[in-house]
């Protein structure tokens, strides 16, 4: 658990709208006077090394084994936590992060079949005490999510390009983790963007206001 600030992470399948919602939320909370730091994984805003590891992981030309993939995400995370997340949390800010360890638990643990326990162990060293306080899951059928990406003509990275059944497995893994952990907030991301923003804001503010 974090110390002074609050560590909020957004998770979900490809095309669930995380980036749009998180950017909007960051601006809304900032305009209300909250100290906010916005970052994302893989990589991390403010860490050159974590960003270099991001390029290695997502490059479609690299043939990356699942074990290598899990370690690379964890290595980038170790740097991101120490260089960026921890200092902002210790300053008392709310850190909003687009993807974090639950992506590894879903994609590498379940999707790549490494097992969630093993992935959890690798990440324990990387994260130390900075596990997320709140996880917002934008739940969406990946058929819709990837369809949105295609429509928007957005380029696909090495992991986006996996078959649909892989993405369905990821969705299932997220829902299972969320059902077993009360740090999760689940929002139905198939609703209109306005409704998704509304739900995220309302549910998150409720949790933040009762914090500590
Ligand atoms: P990104 O371009 O950030 O996509 P998105 O907009 O979906 O967040 O690419 C991140 C990809 O990396 C995405 O397919 C999920 C995957 N990923 C993992 O497999 N494990 C991880 O630990 C993280 C952080 C991401």
């Amino acid at each position: 658990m974090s110390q002074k600030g609050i560590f909020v992470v957004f998770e979900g399948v490809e095309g669930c709208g995380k980036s749009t919602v998180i950017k909007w939320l960051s601006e809304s909370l900032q305009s209300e006077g909250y100290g906010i730091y916005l970052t994302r994984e893989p990589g991390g805003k403010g860490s050159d090394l974590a960003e270099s590891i991001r390029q290695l992981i997502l490059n479609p030309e690299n043939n990356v084994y699942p074990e290598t993939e899990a370690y690379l995400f964890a290595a980038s995370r170790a740097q991101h936590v120490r260089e960026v997340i921890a200092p902002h949390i210790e300053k008392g800010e709310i850190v909003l992060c687009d993807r974090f360890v639950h992506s590894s638990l879903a994609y590498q643990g379940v999707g790549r079949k490494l097992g969630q326990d093993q992935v959890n162990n690798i990440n324990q060293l990387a994260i130390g005490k900075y596990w997320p306080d709140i996880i917002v899951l934008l739940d969406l059928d990946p058929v819709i999510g990837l369809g949105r990406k295609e429509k928007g003509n957005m380029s696909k990275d090495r992991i986006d390009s996996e078959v649909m059944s892989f993405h369905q497995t990821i969705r299932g893994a997220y829902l299972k983790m969320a059902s077993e952990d009360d740090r999760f907030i689940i929002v139905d991301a198939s609703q209109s963007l306005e409704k998704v923003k509304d739900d995220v804001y309302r549910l998150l503010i409720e949790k933040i206001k009762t914090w500590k």
Side-chain angles (χ1 to χ4, degrees):
M1 183 163 291
S2 63
Q3 295 301 294
K4 297 179 178 153
I6 309 179
F7 185 20
V8 184
V9 171
F10 286 72
E11 296 281 359
V13 298
E14 327 292 327
C16 67
K18 280 183 287 92
S19 329
T20 311
V21 171
I22 206 170
K23 187 166 175 288
W24 167 83
L25 183 73
S26 156
E27 286 163 5
S28 308
L29 292 177
Q30 250 162 352
S31 70
E32 286 167 36
Y34 288 97
I36 303 291
Y37 190 82
L38 177 59
T39 183
R40 64 115 167 73
E41 289 205 349
K45 297 262 168 63
S47 170
D48 290 347
L49 179 56
E51 286 292 302
S52 306
I53 301 173
R54 174 190 173 91
Q55 301 309 322
L56 287 176
I57 305 173
L58 296 180
N59 184 348
E61 286 173 12
N62 286 336
N63 171 27
V64 186
Y65 291 98
E67 292 78 3
T68 318
E69 193 175 86
Y71 278 117
L72 285 175
F73 280 117
S76 137
R77 185 162 299 132
Q79 189 71 22
H80 186 205
V81 165
R82 285 158 188 78
E83 213 176 327
V84 180
I85 296 170
H88 285 282
I89 293 284
E90 295 306 325
K91 267 204 280 183
E93 292 176 353
I94 298 178
V95 173
L96 301 177
C97 187
D98 189 341
R99 294 194 184 281
F100 195 66
V101 65
H102 291 87
S103 285
S104 285
L105 292 168
Y107 284 80
Q108 282 66 55
V110 181
R112 301 291 195 218
K113 302 191 172 68
L114 292 177
Q116 288 189 318
D117 286 349
Q118 293 221 79
V119 173
N120 195 76
N121 290 343
I122 295 175
N123 277 278
Q124 188 57 60
L125 180 64
I127 297 171
K129 65 177 183 181
Y130 295 95
W131 285 74
D133 296 308
I134 301 171
I135 306 118
V136 181
L137 173 60
L138 296 188
D139 176 52
L140 186 67
D141 183 337
V143 172
I144 304 177
L146 285 159
R148 286 180 184 167
K149 275 204 155 176
E150 305 247 305
K151 241 177 148 178
N153 240 345
M154 286 151 86
S155 64
K156 284 190 177 174
D157 61 47
R158 202 175 48 77
I159 299 172
D160 290 340
S161 310
E162 283 292 336
V163 291
M164 189 54 77
S165 61
F166 178 86
H167 295 287
Q168 297 284 12
T169 302
I170 302 303
R171 181 192 191 192
Y174 274 132
L175 285 171
K176 182 160 188 302
M177 288 190 283
S179 72
E180 293 166 348
D181 185 342
D182 61 11
R183 291 173 304 168
F184 270 87
I185 291 170
I186 307 178
V187 172
D188 174 1
S190 70
Q191 309 175 99
S192 70
L193 181 58
E194 285 317 304
K195 183 75 173 69
V196 173
K197 285 177 178 173
D198 253 30
D199 284 1
V200 168
Y201 185 88
R202 190 171 39 79
L203 295 167
L204 192 59
I205 286 289
E206 226 169 76
K207 275 216 180 219
I208 289 177
K209 288 207 164 136
T210 57
W211 196 250
K212 288 173 194 164

